[in-house]
Amino acid sequence: MKIKILTQFPDMFGPVFGESILGRAAENGILDIDVVNIRDYTKDKHRKTDDSPYGGGAGMVMTPQPAFDALSAVGAEGKRVLYMSPRGRILDHALAQSLAAEEEFVILCGHYEGVDQRIIDAWRMEEVSIGDYILSGGELAAMVLVDTVARLIPGVLGNENSGNEESVYSGLLEYDQYTKPREYGGLSVPEVLFNGNHELIHLWQFENSLRLTKQRRQDLLEKYLANHKILTKKEKKILDNVLSEPPKLEDED
Ligand code: ADE
């Protein structure tokens, strides 16, 4: 997959994209990320890429010329172009999946007060937000988006399954995880995880996921229930049990 990222701060990306899962995906040729400096395309003699907003107000707005030229140069025509912005659709698993199916897409990162609206309109950009808070620029948001999309590309995760079982993907929050040692400072691991009975372990994980989701994310639980997942008899019994329990108070954890 090819991703072109247009930014005024290209140096922010190197450390993140060179490490861990993203770094390995790039080395293996699965992911080809091209970070493009918008400033390289400005025709302004002071290399400016932004200006004060018409109508007044604080901050600076990205001017059309460098953005249009950079978008043309990376071949954004006809491709999905995302603009990272707190006004956008909230990034979720469904959006990440739809992007993971693309061969190539483009991301524009804005800074300060944003970009001239003509850039967004003319390039039919999809505005994408990573949450209801304001970052100082779209760069961190673009890194979050690329990371979550990359994990869904076949071959990027060493273990093909580990992307599938996690939180939100299955519709429930992920169950608690434990590793060695079995005892640490008097703290132990739930007994069920040692009995070798995979069905019992699965049922414990399912119950744990359900409880967490009910406690923390009522919205996800409602979606999960509306999706009418096919459950075994034992799973159904656990689900009914958890649903019939009175809600836990915040400080009971
Ligand atoms: N730019 C500034 N804040 C943002 C956010 N929450 N999501 C995406 N891009 C942003």
Side-chain angles (χ1 to χ4, degrees), residues 172-234:
L172 296 173
L173 297 183
E174 198 188 13
Y175 48 80
D176 300 342
Q177 298 276 8
Y178 296 89
T179 186
K180 293 179 188 77
R182 190 166 173 161
E183 284 279 329
Y184 179 75
L187 304 170
S188 52
V189 174
E191 273 309 309
V192 64
L193 299 177
F194 301 105
N195 68 15
N197 182 331
H198 293 293
E199 191 196 11
L200 278 185
I201 292 173
H202 162 77
L203 291 173
W204 177 87
Q205 291 169 336
F206 180 60
E207 182 170 350
N208 188 270
S209 278
L210 276 173
R211 282 232 162 76
L212 276 178
T213 311
K214 183 179 172 198
Q215 226 171 295
R216 299 181 182 174
R217 293 291 304 274
Q218 199 62 38
D219 59 323
L220 283 185
L221 183 66
E222 276 161 27
K223 254 195 227 164
Y224 178 83
L225 296 175
N227 277 343
H228 302 296
K229 291 241 168 49
I230 299 166
L231 299 178
T232 63
K233 265 197 185 143
K234 286 179 183 170

Side-chain angles (χ1 to χ4, degrees), residues 82-107:
L82 314 182
Y83 169 55
M84 304 314 297
S85 147
R87 299 195 318 186
R89 162 182 175 184
I90 302 274
L91 174 62
D92 61 8
H93 184 68
L95 178 56
Q97 261 181 325
S98 84
L99 289 166
E102 299 288 336
E103 252 167 45
E104 182 170 345
F105 65 90
V106 180
I107 306 175

Side-chain angles (χ1 to χ4, degrees), residues 30-45:
I30 302 172
L31 199 56
D32 175 4
I33 304 175
D34 196 6
V35 179
V36 175
N37 191 346
I38 299 170
R39 214 173 287 282
D40 290 344
Y41 291 89
T42 180
K43 291 181 175 145
D44 180 84
K45 59 177 186 287

